[in-house]
């Protein structure tokens, strides 16, 4: 599924210095974030952040979708497993929702339009959040610069449906996402990131995204990620039972 991406994936090892990938040791910092993991077609783990939206559903990337939901593993930041009987693609195919058997206690991620940054200016204080494949401790990677909406549209031509980030200012970023190189070697992991601005998750890696590490792309220094705000009306109507924090 991600083989074409990894065939061209390039890690910028020439960058001097590494930005820290830090554990978020306080689960209350992002209490609605869960770890979602699936296996790729080539057998390596792909790990996503997922976001509790109400008592029964977790919102995540469409790339975590599996017709056989038993292939999806969901855990909270304490390692508690939440079995999922159902996985559904929603919102223009960019996102998936996972139903859980165990009720999600909350709090839930904000889905208020006013929670999201409308990106009228470039921002230099954003960050990535992600999970690695071996533990349930949420990680953050920074610094991260997010481009304003207008500049993002000139890069992606997708009518404000993405959040664009400048990979140049995040040293070593690609190495936190995967250990694959441009020679076509098979990765041993892939960690899908989400973009956080002022404490609010604004976007996540999806099938419509570019990581920003693709060496064959003219935009190989820019990553673009699927925006929640651009699909907010679909999200509010397509999530069964609505959202817990509208």
């Amino acid at each position: 599924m991600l083989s074409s991406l990894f065939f061209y994936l390039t890690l910028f090892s020439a960058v001097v210095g590494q930005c820290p990938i830090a554990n978020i040791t306080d689960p209350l910092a992002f209490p609605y974030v869960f770890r979602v993991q699936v296996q790729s077609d080539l057998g390596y783990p792909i790990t996503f952040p997922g976001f509790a939206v109400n008592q029964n559903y977790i919102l995540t990337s469409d790339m975590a979708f599996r017709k056989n939901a038993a292939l999806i593993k969901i855990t909270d930041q304490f390692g508690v497993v939440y079995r999922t009987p159902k996985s559904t693609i929603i919102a223009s195919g960019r996102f998936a929702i996972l139903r859980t058997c165990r009720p999600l206690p909350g709090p839930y991620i904000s889905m208020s339009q006013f929670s999201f940054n409308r990106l009228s200016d470039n921002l230099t204080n954003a960050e990535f959040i992600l999970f690695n494949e071996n533990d349930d401790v949420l990680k953050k990677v920074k610094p991260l610069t997010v481009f304003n909406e207008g500049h993002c549209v000139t890069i992606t031509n997708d009518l404000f449906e993405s959040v664009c980030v400048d990979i140049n200012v995040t040293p070593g970023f690609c190495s936190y996402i995967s250990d694959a190189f441009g020679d076509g070697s098979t990765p041993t992991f892939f960690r899908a990131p989400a973009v956080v601005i002022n404490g609010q998750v604004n976007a996540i890696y999806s099938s419509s995204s570019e990581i920003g590490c693709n060496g064959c792309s003219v935009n190989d220094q820019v990553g673009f990620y699927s925006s929640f705000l651009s699909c907010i009306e679909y999200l509010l109507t397509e999530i069964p039972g609505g959202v817990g924090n509208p």
Side-chain angles (χ1 to χ4, degrees):
M1 179 170 56
L2 293 175
S3 57
S4 60
L5 167 66
F6 283 114
F7 182 80
Y8 296 108
L9 190 66
T10 300
L11 304 185
F12 299 104
S13 57
V15 176
V16 177
Q18 296 284 302
C19 65
I21 180 170
N23 289 340
I24 301 177
T25 55
D26 180 6
L28 297 179
F30 294 94
Y32 50 79
V33 180
F34 288 70
R35 187 170 76 112
V36 178
Q37 189 170 82
V38 298
Q39 297 295 309
S40 76
D41 294 340
L42 297 178
Y44 55 85
I46 311 174
T47 310
F48 303 85
F51 315 102
V53 289
N54 63 27
Q55 191 177 29
N56 300 113
Y57 285 93
I58 287 174
L59 173 68
T60 189
S61 166
D62 67 308
M63 300 197 77
F65 168 80
R66 293 294 184 274
K67 290 183 179 180
N68 181 0
L71 299 176
I72 304 170
K73 182 180 179 181
I74 301 173
T75 53
D76 67 17
Q77 294 177 57
F78 298 99
V80 177
V81 176
Y82 285 71
R83 190 168 64 86
T84 177
K86 187 177 182 181
S87 174
T88 307
I89 294 288
I90 63 169
S92 304
R94 293 180 176 232
F95 306 104
I97 50 171
L98 313 177
R99 182 176 174 84
T100 60
C101 296
R102 179 193 301 229
L104 301 164
Y108 308 111
I109 186 173
S110 174
M111 286 283 112
S112 166
Q113 294 191 37
F114 300 103
S115 297
F116 300 102
N117 195 299
R118 295 186 178 275
L119 300 175
S120 56
D121 299 300
N122 291 351
L123 301 175
T124 59
N125 60 346
E127 60 191 7
F128 284 114
I129 58 170
L130 50 81
F131 287 99
N132 72 24
E133 61 284 357
N134 297 318
D135 66 66
D136 301 299
V137 179
L138 188 62
K139 321 290 183 185
K140 64 179 177 181
V141 180
K142 57 188 311 183
L144 177 67
T145 291
V146 175
F147 291 124
N148 66 68
E149 267 189 337
H151 184 52
C152 186
V153 169
T154 65
I155 297 170
T156 64
N157 194 32
D158 73 351
L159 300 178
F160 302 110
E161 292 186 352
S162 293
V163 172
C164 294
V165 302
D166 183 357
I167 297 302
N168 283 317
V169 301
T170 311
F173 165 70
C174 297
S175 66
Y176 301 129
I177 300 303
S178 177
D179 58 352
F181 290 86
D183 60 2
S185 60
T186 301
T188 63
F189 65 85
F190 182 84
R191 304 163 183 164
V195 178
V196 173
I197 302 170
N198 296 327
Q200 168 73 27
V201 179
N202 275 247
I204 191 172
Y205 174 78
S206 78
S207 60
S208 299
S209 302
E210 292 285 350
I211 288 295
C213 305
N214 189 339
C216 70
S217 169
V218 295
N219 296 322
D220 62 356
Q221 304 289 312
V222 177
F224 50 95
Y225 301 82
S226 291
S227 164
F228 289 146
L229 179 59
S230 70
C231 294
I232 192 65
E233 293 182 5
Y234 295 102
L235 293 172
L236 292 176
T237 58
E238 293 183 27
I239 295 172
V243 298
N245 189 9

